Amino acid sequence: MSAQGTPEMGRTAGDSKGLAKPTPKGAWTVTFLLFLFMVVNFADKIVVGLAGVPIMTDMKLSAEQFGLLGSSFFFLFSISAIVVGFIVNKVPTRWVLLTLAVIWALAQFPMVGTVSFTTLLICRIVLGAGEGPAFSVAAHAIYKWFPDEKRTLPTAILSQGSAFGVILAVPALNWVIVNHSWHYAFGALGVVGLIWVCAWLALGKEGPLEDTQVLAVTEPKIPYVQLLTSRTFLGCVAATFGAYWALSLGLTWFTPFIVKGLGFSQSQAGFISILPWVFGATIVILTGWISQVMMARGYTTRISRGVLGSVPLIIGGLILAAMGHVEGAGLQIAALVVGSGLCGAIYVVCPPMLGEFTPASQRGAVIAIYGALYTLSGIIAPSVMGTVIQRAGSMLDGYLTGFTINAVVMVGSGVIGLLLLWPNTEKARLTRGAAVQPAPLKGAVSPT
């Protein structure tokens, strides 16, 4: 066990293959476009939480109904992620990404006019179905441009889209909500989505390092049951489940907490709501940079990815648990900002860890299934918070209890991740397991 943690035993996957592949021309252009793709993605996600108080007021919604609205976004999220994950094993990611972005844009426009709760609910479900595969497909697309030892930083930049989607969208959308109407905030997002579609049509390309249609025929396969029951896959799902619990609460309940729980105005809440995402963005970039530096210096991916992603999750949960034990809005906001912001580290390291041991022709599906499983917390967390608030003695007590539940989930998932994430030995273990099953390895799938 100690040998696995030493730098000598764990060079990067690229080291075992000889010299690292050069990064193709155009890789960073595509990375930037996919960063913007995730900016739009998270702006679409945040708008309901940002407009939560006006929506609840105008539509006379209870806390439980608003919790249901927050959860509804994730009803088809996981199913569509899995379906599209298998599609991108065969279909170029360029066209899949384009289709997803069109769905996002069209799902926003019905909210521009008078809308019922049912219509709003259906549109959020459709939007969730379109956004479910987003990060996994974008990561799969980026990995066609970068060799394994260079993937952590582009993954960090892609993950940054979530933070910047909130940082950029919140002031702009909040201005629209305060000065015009929450209805127009949805319409503005639809227009922005269509602008990205035009940019991707003009500049988006498929990565040249991997042709998954060719690899589907020539590359040895590992049975999916082995990939999906490997300890690193299970560790990634468990760890990111806890992180996404915090993220889904941030998308749905953070702004209502600032307004109704702590008594700030809608305008003030718009600026305060940015803080966790600014801090989280810093954590994401630092994690990506530190991970690549550690790998370049010869540390195992167990250390430079697994431990580096899990420990901040545990620390963040402990800080979040302190919210109910400090006095004053300032300290409570600080605990929420730092505690939830530390979760960002796990998003940077898990997709590259899965890419280490998953054959490229199966990677799109595996990353998508990983995303589908951990985002199930997005269905649970907003509803749990709504129910807790509805049944609490006071609104503030309800929010603090909900965030304490979040803290427990984060610490538990971080500990599981710390125990299970061993990507540096996973490929050899899976290959040995597959070696005794010659049929799956020889059963090449013909491209359609």
Side-chain angles (χ1 to χ4, degrees), residues 64-85:
E64 285 187 320
Q65 286 177 306
F66 187 69
L68 173 64
L69 182 63
S71 294
S72 69
F73 179 84
F74 296 97
F75 286 173
L76 296 179
F77 198 92
S78 296
I79 295 172
S80 67
I82 293 172
V83 171
V84 175

Side-chain angles (χ1 to χ4, degrees), residues 304-371:
S304 60
R305 289 175 175 172
V307 174
L308 186 65
S310 299
V311 171
L313 193 56
I314 298 169
I315 296 172
L318 295 174
I319 292 172
L320 198 60
M323 274 187 70
H325 305 283
V326 296
E327 296 294 331
L331 287 176
Q332 289 173 343
I333 290 172
L336 184 57
V337 167
V338 177
S340 59
L342 284 170
C343 293
I346 199 68
Y347 299 111
V348 181
V349 296
C350 275
M353 280 193 284
L354 297 177
E356 280 185 59
F357 60 86
T358 304
S361 60
Q362 297 173 275
R363 188 180 59 220
V366 168
I367 294 179
I369 293 169
Y370 150 72

Side-chain angles (χ1 to χ4, degrees), residues 67 70-72 74-78 248 375-384:
S71 294
S72 69
F74 296 97
F75 286 173
L76 296 179
F77 198 92
S78 296
S248 60
T375 53
L376 290 174
S377 62
I379 298 176
I380 304 168
S383 287
V384 168

Side-chain angles (χ1 to χ4, degrees), residues 12-368:
T12 67
D15 294 334
S16 63
K17 299 176 184 176
L19 295 175
K21 295 178 182 178
T23 301
K25 183 179 180 182
W28 290 108
T29 299
V30 170
T31 301
F32 178 68
L33 285 171
L34 292 177
F35 162 80
L36 295 178
F37 177 77
M38 294 307 298
V39 167
V40 176
N41 178 285
F42 268 78
D44 289 345
K45 284 185 174 77
I46 194 68
V47 65
V48 161
L50 185 63
V53 174
I55 289 173
M56 283 190 277
T57 301
D58 289 354
M59 305 185 79
K60 297 179 173 58
L61 304 182
S62 68
E64 285 187 320
Q65 286 177 306
F66 187 69
L68 173 64
L69 182 63
S71 294
S72 69
F73 179 84
F74 296 97
F75 286 173
L76 296 179
F77 198 92
S78 296
I79 295 172
S80 67
I82 293 172
V83 171
V84 175
F86 281 96
I87 289 174
V88 295
N89 283 347
K90 302 285 186 68
V91 178
T93 53
R94 182 183 185 222
W95 302 114
V96 175
L97 291 163
L98 183 73
T99 302
L100 295 177
V102 170
I103 292 171
W104 305 352
L106 297 181
Q108 303 290 6
F109 290 120
M111 269 74 76
V112 173
T114 303
V115 62
S116 67
F117 177 69
T118 300
T119 302
L120 180 55
L121 201 69
I122 291 171
C123 287
R124 292 302 287 180
I125 293 171
V126 171
L127 180 65
E131 295 203 349
F135 183 79
S136 58
V137 175
H140 182 54
I142 279 183
Y143 294 171
K144 295 182 179 183
W145 288 92
F146 294 90
D148 178 66
E149 66 276 5
K150 296 182 180 179
R151 287 174 180 168
T152 311
L153 187 57
T155 304
I157 292 172
L158 183 66
S159 299
Q160 281 283 66
S162 62
F164 276 85
V166 176
I167 293 168
L168 297 175
V170 165
L173 293 176
N174 202 52
W175 182 87
V176 174
I177 292 166
V178 171
N179 293 283
H180 297 281
S181 165
W182 62 267
H183 296 276
Y184 291 116
F186 285 90
L189 289 172
V191 172
V192 170
L194 292 178
I195 292 172
W196 186 89
V197 166
C198 295
W200 184 251
L201 271 173
L203 301 172
K205 297 178 182 178
E206 199 74 6
L209 293 185
E210 298 171 352
D211 186 333
T212 50
Q213 288 182 303
V214 172
L215 289 172
V217 178
T218 61
E219 185 180 48
K221 301 292 189 300
I222 298 174
Y224 278 104
V225 68
Q226 292 188 22
L227 290 169
L228 302 181
T229 56
S230 65
R231 65 182 181 186
T232 298
F233 180 85
L234 296 174
C236 281
V237 171
T240 320
F241 183 93
Y244 208 80
W245 188 291
L247 186 145
S248 60
L249 289 185
L251 292 171
T252 307
W253 283 109
F254 188 73
T255 303
F257 167 65
I258 298 300
V259 176
K260 289 194 168 185
L262 298 181
F264 290 89
S265 69
Q266 179 71 31
S267 297
Q268 292 170 322
F271 290 103
I272 296 170
S273 296
I274 298 174
L275 297 178
W277 304 93
V278 172
F279 183 75
T282 305
I283 294 298
V284 166
I285 285 293
L286 278 175
T287 302
W289 176 74
I290 292 169
S291 177
Q292 269 186 213
V293 168
M294 291 176 72
M295 290 177 68
R297 293 182 179 179
Y299 285 90
T300 64
T301 50
R302 156 69 178 166
I303 302 299
S304 60
R305 289 175 175 172
V307 174
L308 186 65
S310 299
V311 171
L313 193 56
I314 298 169
I315 296 172
L318 295 174
I319 292 172
L320 198 60
M323 274 187 70
H325 305 283
V326 296
E327 296 294 331
L331 287 176
Q332 289 173 343
I333 290 172
L336 184 57
V337 167
V338 177
S340 59
L342 284 170
C343 293
I346 199 68
Y347 299 111
V348 181
V349 296
C350 275
M353 280 193 284
L354 297 177
E356 280 185 59
F357 60 86
T358 304
S361 60
Q362 297 173 275
R363 188 180 59 220
V366 168
I367 294 179

